[in-house]
Amino acid sequence: MFKTFKVEVENQLNKRIKCVKSDCGGEYYGKYDGSGEQCPGPFARYLEECGIVPQYTMPGSPSMNGVAERRNRTLKNMVRNMICHSNLPKSLWGKALKTATYILNRVSTKTVAKTIYELWVWRKPSLKHFHVWGCPAEARPYKPNESKLDSRTMSNYFIGYSERFRSYKFYDPKLKTIFETGTATFFEDIEFGGKNKVRDFVLEEESLTIPELINTVAFDKTNSEPLQDIVIESPTQDNLVIHEEQTQDP
């Protein structure tokens, strides 16, 4: 992975990696042998061959590498929330981690005015293709041997963005497979089936006009005496209906 990243940096940016800062973990420096001494591993030897200076932090002091530790914590919190608020299994945490990294590379930070994507490709990123991770979708996968009467779309879940094509990644819960396609309809406004459900309060407000007491006297044209007093009474407490606020659970 690091070799591929090193070649991409040199070809795309015309720059060379001069220093790598990490902890003294076994994947970076090396594992302990039988005598209890930590010997340099393949990654440490590769840095030495390329002339890259390694900078290691002291064991048990993650605060010395605070920037990387804080970003790892942010990614872990994002992945946890993405999985908890979806119907997808925890085995897809890797896809959620890639999607979280994809999003963070395209949003600004407090320390740098430009995004990481803009610093890499020298143009502003587009956010129009962003969708809610884990939302249901109707996607059309590529089937070279499908017949004319087969269903064109499949019900699945959105799990990320493609690295090679301008398309999306979807997870089929029935076949438990992952495929990529650029033709899909996303349903982001429906209620998710995660563990943490938020109550949806619906407040209905109605106005009520109470008429005043009016006395009306009707006269006959031929007779000056009043025919009948017409009285419109105001509604009493018994026949007055008051609409209260209603709450509706999801």
Side-chain angles (χ1 to χ4, degrees):
M1 182 64 70
F2 179 79
K3 294 180 180 179
T4 305
F5 175 75
K6 177 178 176 297
V7 174
E8 186 175 358
V9 170
E10 295 175 354
N11 292 338
Q12 300 296 331
L13 304 179
N14 293 326
K15 296 182 179 181
R16 301 179 63 87
I17 300 176
K18 299 180 180 180
C19 178
V20 173
K21 187 175 182 179
S22 64
D23 54 15
C24 289
E27 66 274 20
Y28 298 113
Y29 185 77
K31 298 182 179 180
Y32 289 90
D33 55 6
S35 60
E37 184 179 357
Q38 191 176 12
C39 301
F43 184 73
R45 291 194 295 266
Y46 177 77
L47 295 180
E48 185 178 358
E49 294 175 0
C50 297
I52 301 175
V53 179
Q55 293 183 357
Y56 302 105
T57 60
M58 291 297 297
S61 57
S63 59
M64 298 180 64
N65 197 13
V67 177
E69 296 293 340
R70 185 65 183 89
R71 180 49 61 97
N72 291 338
R73 180 182 176 183
T74 302
L75 291 172
K76 183 176 63 176
N77 292 339
M78 292 180 65
V79 171
R80 184 189 302 112
N81 294 331
M82 291 162 67
I83 294 179
C84 290
H85 290 81
S86 66
N87 292 325
L88 300 178
K90 294 182 179 180
S91 58
L92 295 175
W93 67 269
K95 302 298 180 183
L97 179 61
K98 286 186 176 181
T99 305
T101 307
Y102 185 90
I103 295 174
L104 291 179
N105 288 339
R106 286 160 176 79
V107 296
S108 59
T109 59
K110 296 181 180 179
T111 57
V112 183
K114 297 182 179 180
T115 62
I116 299 177
Y117 179 87
E118 190 174 355
L119 294 174
W120 185 269
V121 300
W122 298 101
R123 68 173 182 270
K124 293 184 178 181
S126 176
L127 307 180
K128 297 180 180 180
H129 62 288
F130 275 18
H131 296 282
V132 179
W133 192 87
C135 68
E138 287 289 331
R140 180 178 181 179
Y142 174 70
K143 297 180 181 179
N145 298 324
E146 67 178 0
S147 63
K148 296 182 179 180
L149 300 180
D150 290 343
S151 177
R152 293 294 185 265
T153 60
M154 299 174 55
S155 299
N156 41 68
Y157 295 93
F158 166 71
I159 59 171
Y161 308 91
S162 176
E163 298 89 358
R164 300 173 296 173
F165 310 104
R166 298 183 62 180
S167 60
Y168 306 96
K169 293 182 179 180
F170 298 94
Y171 172 74
D172 186 0
K174 295 181 180 180
L175 302 178
K176 296 184 178 180
T177 57
I178 299 175
F179 63 93
E180 299 180 2
T181 182
T183 306
T185 302
F186 300 88
F187 303 97
E188 302 174 296
D189 298 332
I190 66 175
E191 181 183 357
F192 283 79
K195 299 179 181 179
N196 301 327
K197 294 184 178 180
V198 182
R199 294 188 61 188
D200 185 16
F201 292 91
V202 180
L203 301 180
E204 297 182 359
E205 182 178 356
E206 297 182 1
S207 60
L208 179 63
T209 303
I210 302 177
E212 299 179 355
L213 182 63
I214 301 175
N215 295 329
T216 304
V217 180
F219 291 89
D220 191 359
K221 294 182 179 180
T222 59
N223 190 4
S224 60
E225 296 181 358
L227 296 178
Q228 185 180 1
D229 292 342
I230 302 175
V231 180
I232 302 177
E233 298 181 356
S234 60
T236 60
Q237 187 68 23
D238 297 335
N239 56 13
L240 181 62
V241 179
I242 300 178
H243 295 273
E244 299 180 351
E245 296 181 350
Q246 300 177 0
T247 59
Q248 180 179 356
D249 294 334

